[in-house]
Amino acid sequence: MRLLQWCDLSDSSCSSLAAALRSNSSSLRHLDLSRNKQLGDSGVKLLSTGLEHPNCRLETLELQWCNLSGSSCSSLAAALRSNSSSLRHLHLSGNEQLGDSGVKLLSTGLEHPNCRLETLELGGCDLPDSSCSSLAAALRSDSSSLRRLYLSGNEQLGDSGVKLLSTGLIHPKCRLETLELGGCDLSHSSCSSLAAALRSNSSSLRHLDLSGNTLLGDSGVKLLSTGLEHPNCRLETLELQCCSITAEGGAALASAVKSHPSSHLTTLDLRGNDLGSSAVQLLSALVEDPNFKLQKVE
């Protein structure tokens, strides 16, 4: 592992790093270059000459807050498409100029048979709802390897974005296990799309984070519960912090778990909601009941 965050590195540094990745003796698996704002697109372009090389063994690359735009994604997509690609985890959060064009370019790599990427972080990248169309196409591709998709902090995503994304989530080829959509300005209608994904035969979601979506409310939780209570649902962790949920929503969640004795749900995070004592008692009773897998309610 090499941690070089906050080092005030410029694009020229990436030439040296790329040379190291290309060397016969390269054994680097994790490279953290986050918060080097001078790195930019030119730096990523240089770095990609190393990522595409057969000697490169890098599995995790962190480029959060590096002032990257869409053109960086062209270089990264080329690396993902290369025969020797070994990247499993790519972190691009905090690059607000990435935009829809960047995600479209990146998706050409995600859909390629050579791509082995399992984790993609795009939090706080100011992505519009249309970005989800490209991501959904990647999830539907035959070669999809993505297991974790982090989109939290993209306030423009909204319900329309989740609706587009869900066309990928319900697809038989989708292998996504973790989806994080915290603070994406979602309302109850997003829960209808997500519930449909949880009910699908091919559902593989294990961890869903919807925290900080204050418009979700009880109506959203009720819709989501129609997915939680379905036999196909494999969700283990559900995060709903600060989602304006009251006793009514809490009761709906308790009912969903209770009606599905084989429910996989083990962790339910409801911090920052005004559930009231009655809903808390219902959920606590399920934690204490050995017939259910629910172990933790916060």
Side-chain angles (χ1 to χ4, degrees):
M1 181 187 291
R2 288 291 181 271
L3 302 178
L4 296 170
Q5 69 269 45
W6 293 102
C7 288
D8 200 26
L9 302 180
S10 66
D11 55 355
S12 59
S13 301
C14 291
S15 181
S16 302
L17 290 169
L21 293 175
R22 292 193 300 266
S23 68
N24 290 327
S25 58
S26 175
S27 59
L28 194 62
R29 297 291 191 275
H30 186 158
L31 179 59
D32 186 350
L33 296 171
S34 56
R35 298 184 184 276
N36 286 290
K37 293 186 177 182
Q38 294 185 59
L39 216 63
D41 298 327
S42 54
V44 172
K45 187 175 182 178
L46 289 168
L47 191 65
S48 293
T49 64
L51 297 175
E52 295 176 44
H53 198 275
N55 289 336
C56 182
R57 302 285 188 273
L58 199 69
E59 297 177 358
T60 300
L61 177 59
E62 300 194 46
L63 293 167
Q64 304 99 306
W65 294 282
C66 284
N67 198 27
L68 309 183
S69 74
S71 62
S72 287
C73 293
S74 179
S75 304
L76 292 169
L80 294 175
R81 292 192 300 265
S82 66
N83 289 326
S84 57
S85 175
S86 57
L87 272 180
R88 299 292 192 278
H89 312 284
L90 180 58
H91 305 260
L92 297 172
S93 295
N95 290 293
E96 297 179 355
Q97 303 302 315
L98 221 59
D100 190 34
S101 60
V103 174
K104 285 180 179 177
L105 288 167
L106 199 60
S107 294
T108 65
L110 296 173
E111 295 175 43
H112 198 276
N114 289 335
C115 182
R116 301 178 185 180
L117 204 69
E118 297 174 3
T119 299
L120 177 59
E121 292 196 5
L122 294 167
C125 286
D126 202 24
L127 303 181
D129 56 356
S130 55
S131 298
C132 291
S133 180
S134 302
L135 292 170
L139 293 175
R140 293 193 299 265
S141 66
D142 290 335
S143 56
S144 175
S145 301
L146 272 183
R147 298 293 191 276
R148 177 178 182 248
L149 182 57
Y150 180 83
L151 295 171
S152 294
N154 287 292
E155 295 180 358
Q156 294 186 61
L157 224 58
D159 298 327
S160 53
V162 172
K163 187 176 181 179
L164 288 169
L165 192 64
S166 295
T167 64
L169 297 175
I170 62 176
H171 197 274
K173 299 291 183 182
C174 180
R175 300 178 185 179
L176 201 69
E177 296 177 357
T178 298
L179 177 60
E180 300 184 53
L181 293 166
C184 286
D185 199 27
L186 309 183
S187 75
H188 66 280
S189 64
S190 288
C191 293
S192 180
S193 302
L194 293 169
L198 294 176
R199 292 192 300 265
S200 66
N201 290 326
S202 57
S203 175
S204 57
L205 275 179
R206 301 289 194 277
H207 184 153
L208 179 60
D209 183 0
L210 298 173
S211 301
N213 290 293
T214 56
L215 297 176
L216 222 62
D218 293 331
S219 56
V221 170
K222 286 180 180 179
L223 287 168
L224 197 61
S225 294
T226 64
L228 294 174
E229 63 190 16
H230 197 277
N232 288 335
C233 181
R234 301 179 186 180
L235 204 67
E236 297 172 3
T237 301
L238 177 59
E239 297 188 49
L240 292 167
Q241 303 100 305
C242 303
C243 286
S244 305
I245 303 169
T246 70
E248 188 178 356
L253 289 168
S255 178
V257 174
K258 196 170 183 178
S259 65
H260 181 15
S262 58
S263 171
H264 295 271
L265 198 66
T266 60
T267 303
L268 186 55
D269 194 338
L270 295 165
R271 288 174 293 176
N273 293 292
D274 189 14
L275 294 180
S277 58
S278 59
V280 171
Q281 287 173 3
L282 287 171
L283 291 165
S284 297
L286 293 173
V287 173
E288 296 168 5
D289 193 328
N291 294 313
F292 300 97
K293 296 179 181 178
L294 193 63
Q295 299 171 4
K296 188 177 181 181
V297 175
E298 295 182 302

